[in-house]
mmCIF file of all heavy atoms in Angstrom:
data_model
loop_
_atom_site.group_PDB
_atom_site.id
_atom_site.type_symbol
_atom_site.label_atom_id
_atom_site.label_comp_id
_atom_site.label_asym_id
_atom_site.label_seq_id
_atom_site.Cartn_x
_atom_site.Cartn_y
_atom_site.Cartn_z
ATOM 1 N N TRP A 25 0.866 -1.176 0.000
ATOM 2 C CA TRP A 25 0.000 0.000 0.000
ATOM 3 C C TRP A 25 0.904 1.228 0.000
ATOM 4 O O TRP A 25 1.750 1.379 0.884
ATOM 5 C CB TRP A 25 -0.911 0.020 1.224
ATOM 6 C CG TRP A 25 -2.015 -0.981 1.166
ATOM 7 C CD1 TRP A 25 -2.056 -2.207 1.761
ATOM 8 C CD2 TRP A 25 -3.258 -0.829 0.475
ATOM 9 N NE1 TRP A 25 -3.236 -2.825 1.475
ATOM 10 C CE2 TRP A 25 -3.996 -2.008 0.689
ATOM 11 C CE3 TRP A 25 -3.824 0.177 -0.304
ATOM 12 C CZ2 TRP A 25 -5.278 -2.204 0.149
ATOM 13 C CZ3 TRP A 25 -5.082 -0.009 -0.842
ATOM 14 C CH2 TRP A 25 -5.802 -1.190 -0.607
ATOM 15 N N VAL A 26 0.702 2.062 -0.979
ATOM 16 C CA VAL A 26 1.501 3.266 -1.162
ATOM 17 C C VAL A 26 0.561 4.463 -1.141
ATOM 18 O O VAL A 26 -0.481 4.428 -1.786
ATOM 19 C CB VAL A 26 2.270 3.221 -2.497
ATOM 20 C CG1 VAL A 26 3.076 4.513 -2.702
ATOM 21 C CG2 VAL A 26 3.178 2.007 -2.556
ATOM 22 N N ARG A 27 0.932 5.501 -0.403
ATOM 23 C CA ARG A 27 0.065 6.676 -0.359
ATOM 24 C C ARG A 27 0.802 7.906 -0.882
ATOM 25 O O ARG A 27 2.029 7.977 -0.856
ATOM 26 C CB ARG A 27 -0.434 6.937 1.058
ATOM 27 C CG ARG A 27 0.614 7.414 2.048
ATOM 28 C CD ARG A 27 0.004 7.513 3.448
ATOM 29 N NE ARG A 27 0.984 7.969 4.438
ATOM 30 C CZ ARG A 27 0.745 8.006 5.746
ATOM 31 N NH1 ARG A 27 -0.438 7.611 6.217
ATOM 32 N NH2 ARG A 27 1.673 8.446 6.580
ATOM 33 N N GLN A 28 0.005 8.835 -1.343
ATOM 34 C CA GLN A 28 0.563 10.106 -1.794
ATOM 35 C C GLN A 28 -0.368 11.237 -1.386
ATOM 36 O O GLN A 28 -1.533 11.271 -1.791
ATOM 37 C CB GLN A 28 0.790 10.135 -3.304
ATOM 38 C CG GLN A 28 1.512 11.393 -3.764
ATOM 39 C CD GLN A 28 2.091 11.272 -5.148
ATOM 40 O OE1 GLN A 28 1.594 10.535 -5.992
ATOM 41 N NE2 GLN A 28 3.184 11.994 -5.397
ATOM 42 N N ALA A 29 0.155 12.121 -0.570
ATOM 43 C CA ALA A 29 -0.571 13.314 -0.149
ATOM 44 C C ALA A 29 -0.202 14.469 -1.075
ATOM 45 O O ALA A 29 0.874 14.462 -1.679
ATOM 46 C CB ALA A 29 -0.234 13.643 1.291
ATOM 47 N N PRO A 30 -1.065 15.467 -1.183
ATOM 48 C CA PRO A 30 -0.770 16.607 -2.067
ATOM 49 C C PRO A 30 0.558 17.264 -1.704
ATOM 50 O O PRO A 30 0.818 17.555 -0.543
ATOM 51 C CB PRO A 30 -1.944 17.559 -1.802
ATOM 52 C CG PRO A 30 -3.054 16.670 -1.368
ATOM 53 C CD PRO A 30 -2.396 15.575 -0.573
ATOM 54 N N GLY A 31 1.388 17.441 -2.707
ATOM 55 C CA GLY A 31 2.664 18.101 -2.504
ATOM 56 C C GLY A 31 3.735 17.248 -1.858
ATOM 57 O O GLY A 31 4.826 17.740 -1.573
ATOM 58 N N LYS A 32 3.438 15.973 -1.640
ATOM 59 C CA LYS A 32 4.408 15.093 -0.996
ATOM 60 C C LYS A 32 4.766 13.936 -1.911
ATOM 61 O O LYS A 32 4.032 13.606 -2.843
ATOM 62 C CB LYS A 32 3.861 14.572 0.335
ATOM 63 C CG LYS A 32 3.653 15.652 1.379
ATOM 64 C CD LYS A 32 3.287 15.047 2.727
ATOM 65 C CE LYS A 32 3.163 16.117 3.797
ATOM 66 N NZ LYS A 32 2.830 15.524 5.127
ATOM 67 N N GLU A 33 5.895 13.312 -1.627
ATOM 68 C CA GLU A 33 6.314 12.156 -2.397
ATOM 69 C C GLU A 33 5.504 10.914 -1.983
ATOM 70 O O GLU A 33 4.943 10.852 -0.900
ATOM 71 C CB GLU A 33 7.802 11.890 -2.187
ATOM 72 C CG GLU A 33 8.694 13.000 -2.720
ATOM 73 C CD GLU A 33 10.163 12.638 -2.615
ATOM 74 O OE1 GLU A 33 10.486 11.606 -2.015
ATOM 75 O OE2 GLU A 33 10.987 13.403 -3.149
ATOM 76 N N ARG A 34 5.502 9.952 -2.870
ATOM 77 C CA ARG A 34 4.853 8.686 -2.543
ATOM 78 C C ARG A 34 5.563 8.015 -1.384
ATOM 79 O O ARG A 34 6.787 8.086 -1.259
ATOM 80 C CB ARG A 34 4.867 7.758 -3.762
ATOM 81 C CG ARG A 34 4.010 8.218 -4.926
ATOM 82 C CD ARG A 34 4.075 7.232 -6.060
ATOM 83 N NE ARG A 34 5.430 7.011 -6.540
ATOM 84 C CZ ARG A 34 5.765 6.127 -7.480
ATOM 85 N NH1 ARG A 34 4.843 5.378 -8.036
ATOM 86 N NH2 ARG A 34 7.021 6.000 -7.850
ATOM 87 N N GLU A 35 4.794 7.338 -0.572
ATOM 88 C CA GLU A 35 5.337 6.657 0.606
ATOM 89 C C GLU A 35 4.693 5.277 0.713
ATOM 90 O O GLU A 35 3.467 5.166 0.740
ATOM 91 C CB GLU A 35 5.039 7.463 1.881
ATOM 92 C CG GLU A 35 5.432 6.770 3.150
ATOM 93 C CD GLU A 35 4.914 7.464 4.405
ATOM 94 O OE1 GLU A 35 3.891 8.172 4.330
ATOM 95 O OE2 GLU A 35 5.525 7.278 5.470
ATOM 96 N N THR A 36 5.527 4.250 0.789
ATOM 97 C CA THR A 36 5.002 2.915 1.046
ATOM 98 C C THR A 36 4.701 2.815 2.524
ATOM 99 O O THR A 36 5.605 2.889 3.348
ATOM 100 C CB THR A 36 6.003 1.828 0.634
ATOM 101 O OG1 THR A 36 6.311 1.969 -0.755
ATOM 102 C CG2 THR A 36 5.423 0.440 0.872
ATOM 103 N N VAL A 37 3.441 2.651 2.860
ATOM 104 C CA VAL A 37 3.084 2.594 4.278
ATOM 105 C C VAL A 37 3.103 1.165 4.806
ATOM 106 O O VAL A 37 3.344 0.947 5.991
ATOM 107 C CB VAL A 37 1.709 3.239 4.549
ATOM 108 C CG1 VAL A 37 1.740 4.721 4.219
ATOM 109 C CG2 VAL A 37 0.597 2.546 3.780
ATOM 110 N N ALA A 38 2.854 0.193 3.946
ATOM 111 C CA ALA A 38 2.857 -1.205 4.373
ATOM 112 C C ALA A 38 3.090 -2.102 3.168
ATOM 113 O O ALA A 38 2.681 -1.765 2.052
ATOM 114 C CB ALA A 38 1.544 -1.580 5.049
ATOM 115 N N ALA A 39 3.747 -3.228 3.428
ATOM 116 C CA ALA A 39 4.029 -4.160 2.343
ATOM 117 C C ALA A 39 4.133 -5.561 2.911
ATOM 118 O O ALA A 39 4.404 -5.750 4.112
ATOM 119 C CB ALA A 39 5.332 -3.777 1.628
ATOM 120 N N LEU A 40 3.911 -6.536 2.054
ATOM 121 C CA LEU A 40 4.138 -7.909 2.472
ATOM 122 C C LEU A 40 4.612 -8.740 1.290
ATOM 123 O O LEU A 40 4.434 -8.379 0.131
ATOM 124 C CB LEU A 40 2.897 -8.523 3.120
ATOM 125 C CG LEU A 40 1.504 -8.405 2.514
ATOM 126 C CD1 LEU A 40 1.391 -9.030 1.159
ATOM 127 C CD2 LEU A 40 0.482 -8.991 3.456
ATOM 128 N N ASN A 41 5.231 -9.867 1.605
ATOM 129 C CA ASN A 41 5.755 -10.724 0.548
ATOM 130 C C ASN A 41 4.655 -11.652 0.052
ATOM 131 O O ASN A 41 3.509 -11.590 0.497
ATOM 132 C CB ASN A 41 6.978 -11.500 1.029
ATOM 133 C CG ASN A 41 6.630 -12.611 2.000
ATOM 134 O OD1 ASN A 41 5.620 -12.530 2.711
ATOM 135 N ND2 ASN A 41 7.446 -13.647 2.041
ATOM 136 N N TRP A 42 4.989 -12.552 -0.865
ATOM 137 C CA TRP A 42 3.969 -13.371 -1.496
ATOM 138 C C TRP A 42 3.249 -14.267 -0.503
ATOM 139 O O TRP A 42 2.061 -14.547 -0.650
ATOM 140 C CB TRP A 42 4.576 -14.210 -2.626
ATOM 141 C CG TRP A 42 5.546 -15.256 -2.150
ATOM 142 C CD1 TRP A 42 6.892 -15.129 -2.024
ATOM 143 C CD2 TRP A 42 5.240 -16.594 -1.736
ATOM 144 N NE1 TRP A 42 7.451 -16.281 -1.552
ATOM 145 C CE2 TRP A 42 6.462 -17.208 -1.369
ATOM 146 C CE3 TRP A 42 4.061 -17.333 -1.637
ATOM 147 C CZ2 TRP A 42 6.528 -18.520 -0.920
ATOM 148 C CZ3 TRP A 42 4.129 -18.639 -1.193
ATOM 149 C CH2 TRP A 42 5.362 -19.211 -0.836
ATOM 150 N N SER A 43 3.938 -14.699 0.556
ATOM 151 C CA SER A 43 3.304 -15.601 1.519
ATOM 152 C C SER A 43 2.534 -14.857 2.598
ATOM 153 O O SER A 43 1.718 -15.445 3.301
ATOM 154 C CB SER A 43 4.359 -16.486 2.172
ATOM 155 O OG SER A 43 5.166 -15.710 3.051
ATOM 156 N N GLY A 44 2.827 -13.559 2.739
ATOM 157 C CA GLY A 44 2.197 -12.790 3.802
ATOM 158 C C GLY A 44 2.905 -12.923 5.139
ATOM 159 O O GLY A 44 2.504 -12.272 6.112
ATOM 160 N N ARG A 45 3.957 -13.728 5.187
ATOM 161 C CA ARG A 45 4.622 -13.945 6.477
ATOM 162 C C ARG A 45 5.677 -12.888 6.786
ATOM 163 O O ARG A 45 6.150 -12.784 7.917
ATOM 164 C CB ARG A 45 5.251 -15.334 6.491
ATOM 165 C CG ARG A 45 4.225 -16.454 6.641
ATOM 166 C CD ARG A 45 4.897 -17.778 6.984
ATOM 167 N NE ARG A 45 5.577 -18.355 5.832
ATOM 168 C CZ ARG A 45 4.996 -19.221 5.012
ATOM 169 N NH1 ARG A 45 3.745 -19.583 5.221
ATOM 170 N NH2 ARG A 45 5.658 -19.721 3.999
ATOM 171 N N ARG A 46 6.076 -12.137 5.779
ATOM 172 C CA ARG A 46 7.031 -11.046 5.996
ATOM 173 C C ARG A 46 6.332 -9.734 5.689
ATOM 174 O O ARG A 46 5.757 -9.575 4.605
ATOM 175 C CB ARG A 46 8.260 -11.222 5.125
ATOM 176 C CG ARG A 46 9.053 -12.495 5.420
ATOM 177 C CD ARG A 46 10.332 -12.514 4.630
ATOM 178 N NE ARG A 46 11.222 -11.422 5.060
ATOM 179 C CZ ARG A 46 12.211 -10.962 4.315
ATOM 180 N NH1 ARG A 46 12.442 -11.442 3.112
ATOM 181 N NH2 ARG A 46 12.984 -9.995 4.772
ATOM 182 N N THR A 47 6.386 -8.814 6.628
ATOM 183 C CA THR A 47 5.700 -7.545 6.447
ATOM 184 C C THR A 47 6.606 -6.368 6.755
ATOM 185 O O THR A 47 7.622 -6.502 7.461
ATOM 186 C CB THR A 47 4.454 -7.443 7.351
ATOM 187 O OG1 THR A 47 4.860 -7.623 8.719
ATOM 188 C CG2 THR A 47 3.419 -8.490 6.996
ATOM 189 N N TYR A 48 6.224 -5.230 6.230
ATOM 190 C CA TYR A 48 6.948 -3.973 6.442
ATOM 191 C C TYR A 48 5.919 -2.892 6.747
ATOM 192 O O TYR A 48 4.834 -2.866 6.147
ATOM 193 C CB TYR A 48 7.725 -3.591 5.182
ATOM 194 C CG TYR A 48 8.122 -2.127 5.137
ATOM 195 C CD1 TYR A 48 9.271 -1.677 5.774
ATOM 196 C CD2 TYR A 48 7.308 -1.192 4.488
ATOM 197 C CE1 TYR A 48 9.613 -0.337 5.750
ATOM 198 C CE2 TYR A 48 7.646 0.150 4.457
ATOM 199 C CZ TYR A 48 8.795 0.568 5.094
ATOM 200 O OH TYR A 48 9.131 1.891 5.078
ATOM 201 N N TYR A 49 6.279 -2.009 7.686
ATOM 202 C CA TYR A 49 5.457 -0.849 7.981
ATOM 203 C C TYR A 49 6.338 0.387 8.079
ATOM 204 O O TYR A 49 7.421 0.339 8.680
ATOM 205 C CB TYR A 49 4.693 -1.026 9.296
ATOM 206 C CG TYR A 49 3.679 -2.133 9.259
ATOM 207 C CD1 TYR A 49 3.973 -3.406 9.722
ATOM 208 C CD2 TYR A 49 2.406 -1.895 8.732
ATOM 209 C CE1 TYR A 49 3.031 -4.424 9.663
ATOM 210 C CE2 TYR A 49 1.464 -2.905 8.678
ATOM 211 C CZ TYR A 49 1.786 -4.170 9.141
ATOM 212 O OH TYR A 49 0.846 -5.167 9.077
ATOM 213 N N ALA A 50 5.868 1.473 7.519
ATOM 214 C CA ALA A 50 6.554 2.740 7.713
ATOM 215 C C ALA A 50 6.447 3.143 9.180
ATOM 216 O O ALA A 50 5.459 2.810 9.851
ATOM 217 C CB ALA A 50 5.931 3.807 6.821
ATOM 218 N N ASP A 51 7.438 3.854 9.659
ATOM 219 C CA ASP A 51 7.421 4.298 11.059
ATOM 220 C C ASP A 51 6.160 5.096 11.373
ATOM 221 O O ASP A 51 5.636 5.027 12.487
ATOM 222 C CB ASP A 51 8.654 5.152 11.346
ATOM 223 C CG ASP A 51 9.930 4.338 11.364
ATOM 224 O OD1 ASP A 51 9.863 3.095 11.477
ATOM 225 O OD2 ASP A 51 11.013 4.935 11.268
ATOM 226 N N SER A 52 5.690 5.835 10.396
ATOM 227 C CA SER A 52 4.548 6.725 10.612
ATOM 228 C C SER A 52 3.244 5.971 10.882
ATOM 229 O O SER A 52 2.289 6.546 11.415
ATOM 230 C CB SER A 52 4.363 7.639 9.397
ATOM 231 O OG SER A 52 4.210 6.885 8.212
ATOM 232 N N VAL A 53 3.186 4.681 10.526
ATOM 233 C CA VAL A 53 1.939 3.924 10.711
ATOM 234 C C VAL A 53 2.141 2.691 11.583
ATOM 235 O O VAL A 53 1.161 1.991 11.891
ATOM 236 C CB VAL A 53 1.339 3.501 9.360
ATOM 237 C CG1 VAL A 53 1.164 4.708 8.450
ATOM 238 C CG2 VAL A 53 2.173 2.420 8.673
ATOM 239 N N GLN A 54 3.369 2.403 11.970
ATOM 240 C CA GLN A 54 3.658 1.232 12.793
ATOM 241 C C GLN A 54 2.782 1.221 14.031
ATOM 242 O O GLN A 54 2.666 2.212 14.743
ATOM 243 C CB GLN A 54 5.139 1.244 13.190
ATOM 244 C CG GLN A 54 5.565 0.077 14.045
ATOM 245 C CD GLN A 54 5.678 -1.207 13.262
ATOM 246 O OE1 GLN A 54 6.258 -1.248 12.185
ATOM 247 N NE2 GLN A 54 5.101 -2.274 13.792
ATOM 248 N N GLY A 55 2.138 0.092 14.283
ATOM 249 C CA GLY A 55 1.278 -0.043 15.454
ATOM 250 C C GLY A 55 -0.147 0.420 15.234
ATOM 251 O O GLY A 55 -1.010 0.165 16.082
ATOM 252 N N ARG A 56 -0.402 1.078 14.123
ATOM 253 C CA ARG A 56 -1.761 1.563 13.831
ATOM 254 C C ARG A 56 -2.376 0.878 12.618
ATOM 255 O O ARG A 56 -3.592 0.653 12.580
ATOM 256 C CB ARG A 56 -1.738 3.078 13.596
ATOM 257 C CG ARG A 56 -1.233 3.888 14.767
ATOM 258 C CD ARG A 56 -1.419 5.385 14.526
ATOM 259 N NE ARG A 56 -0.663 5.885 13.386
ATOM 260 C CZ ARG A 56 -1.213 6.452 12.317
ATOM 261 N NH1 ARG A 56 -2.533 6.601 12.243
ATOM 262 N NH2 ARG A 56 -0.450 6.903 11.330
ATOM 263 N N PHE A 57 -1.567 0.566 11.630
ATOM 264 C CA PHE A 57 -2.041 -0.063 10.393
ATOM 265 C C PHE A 57 -1.627 -1.530 10.359
ATOM 266 O O PHE A 57 -0.562 -1.899 10.861
ATOM 267 C CB PHE A 57 -1.466 0.636 9.172
ATOM 268 C CG PHE A 57 -1.978 2.028 8.921
ATOM 269 C CD1 PHE A 57 -2.769 2.705 9.839
ATOM 270 C CD2 PHE A 57 -1.654 2.687 7.736
ATOM 271 C CE1 PHE A 57 -3.225 3.986 9.604
ATOM 272 C CE2 PHE A 57 -2.103 3.972 7.471
ATOM 273 C CZ PHE A 57 -2.897 4.616 8.423
ATOM 274 N N THR A 58 -2.474 -2.349 9.713
ATOM 275 C CA THR A 58 -2.152 -3.759 9.527
ATOM 276 C C THR A 58 -2.445 -4.159 8.093
ATOM 277 O O THR A 58 -3.564 -3.953 7.605
ATOM 278 C CB THR A 58 -2.964 -4.651 10.476
ATOM 279 O OG1 THR A 58 -2.703 -4.265 11.831
ATOM 280 C CG2 THR A 58 -2.587 -6.115 10.282
ATOM 281 N N ILE A 59 -1.455 -4.729 7.436
ATOM 282 C CA ILE A 59 -1.632 -5.226 6.083
ATOM 283 C C ILE A 59 -1.844 -6.728 6.134
ATOM 284 O O ILE A 59 -1.236 -7.427 6.956
ATOM 285 C CB ILE A 59 -0.414 -4.871 5.196
ATOM 286 C CG1 ILE A 59 -0.674 -5.220 3.729
ATOM 287 C CG2 ILE A 59 0.864 -5.538 5.698
ATOM 288 C CD1 ILE A 59 0.417 -4.723 2.778
ATOM 289 N N SER A 60 -2.713 -7.219 5.270
ATOM 290 C CA SER A 60 -2.958 -8.652 5.217
ATOM 291 C C SER A 60 -3.447 -9.012 3.820
ATOM 292 O O SER A 60 -3.839 -8.155 3.042
ATOM 293 C CB SER A 60 -3.983 -9.084 6.270
ATOM 294 O OG SER A 60 -5.231 -8.459 6.034
ATOM 295 N N ARG A 61 -3.408 -10.306 3.532
ATOM 296 C CA ARG A 61 -3.880 -10.775 2.233
ATOM 297 C C ARG A 61 -4.701 -12.046 2.419
ATOM 298 O O ARG A 61 -4.437 -12.840 3.316
ATOM 299 C CB ARG A 61 -2.716 -11.023 1.283
ATOM 300 C CG ARG A 61 -1.769 -12.145 1.694
ATOM 301 C CD ARG A 61 -0.504 -12.153 0.814
ATOM 302 N NE ARG A 61 -0.835 -12.336 -0.585
ATOM 303 C CZ ARG A 61 -0.016 -12.018 -1.590
ATOM 304 N NH1 ARG A 61 1.178 -11.500 -1.329
ATOM 305 N NH2 ARG A 61 -0.367 -12.219 -2.833
ATOM 306 N N ASP A 62 -5.687 -12.209 1.559
ATOM 307 C CA ASP A 62 -6.489 -13.419 1.521
ATOM 308 C C ASP A 62 -6.395 -13.940 0.095
ATOM 309 O O ASP A 62 -7.099 -13.461 -0.804
ATOM 310 C CB ASP A 62 -7.941 -13.111 1.908
ATOM 311 C CG ASP A 62 -8.803 -14.363 1.996
ATOM 312 O OD1 ASP A 62 -8.432 -15.375 1.373
ATOM 313 O OD2 ASP A 62 -9.838 -14.315 2.668
ATOM 314 N N ASP A 63 -5.511 -14.899 -0.135
ATOM 315 C CA ASP A 63 -5.290 -15.387 -1.486
ATOM 316 C C ASP A 63 -6.496 -16.135 -2.030
ATOM 317 O O ASP A 63 -6.698 -16.198 -3.247
ATOM 318 C CB ASP A 63 -4.045 -16.270 -1.534
ATOM 319 C CG ASP A 63 -2.766 -15.464 -1.341
ATOM 320 O OD1 ASP A 63 -2.808 -14.223 -1.481
ATOM 321 O OD2 ASP A 63 -1.717 -16.069 -1.042
ATOM 322 N N ALA A 64 -7.313 -16.712 -1.165
ATOM 323 C CA ALA A 64 -8.519 -17.408 -1.628
ATOM 324 C C ALA A 64 -9.499 -16.413 -2.247
ATOM 325 O O ALA A 64 -10.293 -16.774 -3.121
ATOM 326 C CB ALA A 64 -9.178 -18.142 -0.479
ATOM 327 N N LYS A 65 -9.437 -15.166 -1.784
ATOM 328 C CA LYS A 65 -10.321 -14.126 -2.308
ATOM 329 C C LYS A 65 -9.592 -13.163 -3.240
ATOM 330 O O LYS A 65 -10.172 -12.184 -3.705
ATOM 331 C CB LYS A 65 -10.946 -13.336 -1.155
ATOM 332 C CG LYS A 65 -11.843 -14.163 -0.259
ATOM 333 C CD LYS A 65 -12.451 -13.303 0.842
ATOM 334 C CE LYS A 65 -13.389 -14.130 1.719
ATOM 335 N NZ LYS A 65 -13.995 -13.308 2.806
ATOM 336 N N ASN A 66 -8.308 -13.426 -3.490
ATOM 337 C CA ASN A 66 -7.508 -12.519 -4.325
ATOM 338 C C ASN A 66 -7.627 -11.069 -3.846
ATOM 339 O O ASN A 66 -7.826 -10.138 -4.640
ATOM 340 C CB ASN A 66 -7.946 -12.601 -5.793
ATOM 341 C CG ASN A 66 -7.336 -13.777 -6.517
ATOM 342 O OD1 ASN A 66 -6.722 -14.648 -5.901
ATOM 343 N ND2 ASN A 66 -7.503 -13.833 -7.822
ATOM 344 N N THR A 67 -7.498 -10.870 -2.556
ATOM 345 C CA THR A 67 -7.716 -9.550 -1.987
ATOM 346 C C THR A 67 -6.628 -9.185 -0.990
ATOM 347 O O THR A 67 -6.210 -10.016 -0.180
ATOM 348 C CB THR A 67 -9.088 -9.455 -1.308
ATOM 349 O OG1 THR A 67 -10.112 -9.786 -2.258
ATOM 350 C CG2 THR A 67 -9.351 -8.057 -0.791
ATOM 351 N N LEU A 68 -6.199 -7.934 -1.066
ATOM 352 C CA LEU A 68 -5.253 -7.350 -0.129
ATOM 353 C C LEU A 68 -6.016 -6.344 0.735
ATOM 354 O O LEU A 68 -6.913 -5.660 0.234
ATOM 355 C CB LEU A 68 -4.137 -6.632 -0.895
ATOM 356 C CG LEU A 68 -3.068 -5.916 -0.080
ATOM 357 C CD1 LEU A 68 -2.116 -6.932 0.547
ATOM 358 C CD2 LEU A 68 -2.295 -4.935 -0.954
#
């Protein structure tokens, strides 16, 4: 998930690998946002 606010650069706020077992969070959202995937539903 990448966000872009007006006048600011793009920022990856959260990411995960193909299995979902490895995740990344930007410091700005750590502890507040959660990324997940459901491959059975093809949905992030």
